[in-house]
Amino acid sequence: MKIIAATSNKGKVREIKSIFSGEDFEIISMKEAGLEREIEENGTTFEENALIKARTIAQLCDCAVLSDDSGLCVEALNGAPGIYSARYGGEDTTYDVKMKKLLDEISDADNRSAKFVSACALVYPDGRELVGMGEVHGRIGFEPKGENGFGYDPIFISDELNKTFAEATDDEKNSISHRKRALMDLYNKMRNEE
């Protein structure tokens, strides 16, 4: 089955392709499909935003569309940046700026617990919709560490790996990541529909 990944984030597309490798899916990016569209994410949850993206792109093509909405939720910030993770500190700021802002805001916090949350939505050409959810728990480090990954990976220390996602290899991260768990939840729901 051909699936368009409704994102312009190359890191997300690479992760989705890696996680679904070996399955009967051909994952292509919006760019590879010749689709460009700015999508306003105005939902109030990860699930709503994932469905908004998938539905928008599904209207432009005749194949299945997969989208992800994910973010970092920090307990000391009452769950922020959450669904605003990509816009935290301004839409056009780099992740270095976003991470510095976050680290500054929790510099005095005793509780550095955090989690990455992902919602993966699939919209079929016939209009059926499925959503898978995933989380990975950890804590915020005191400084960025590691060269791999993207986004907030350099400051998120996974409880399971005991290192930042940016210090982990792609295989290590993909084996336990929030996106992997959401995609596996979605995959199981897809298989149950067959």
Side-chain angles (χ1 to χ4, degrees), residues 7 11 154:
T7 180

Side-chain angles (χ1 to χ4, degrees), residues 10 21 23 25-26 42 53 55 66-67 86 89 104 113 127 142 144 148 164 175 180:
K10 291 178 184 176
S21 67
E23 301 299 333
F25 305 121
E26 178 192 359
N42 54 8
K53 289 187 269 192
R55 288 171 183 155
L66 172 70
S67 70
D104 287 348
S113 296
F142 290 91
N148 297 327
T164 70
S175 71
K180 161 80 176 221

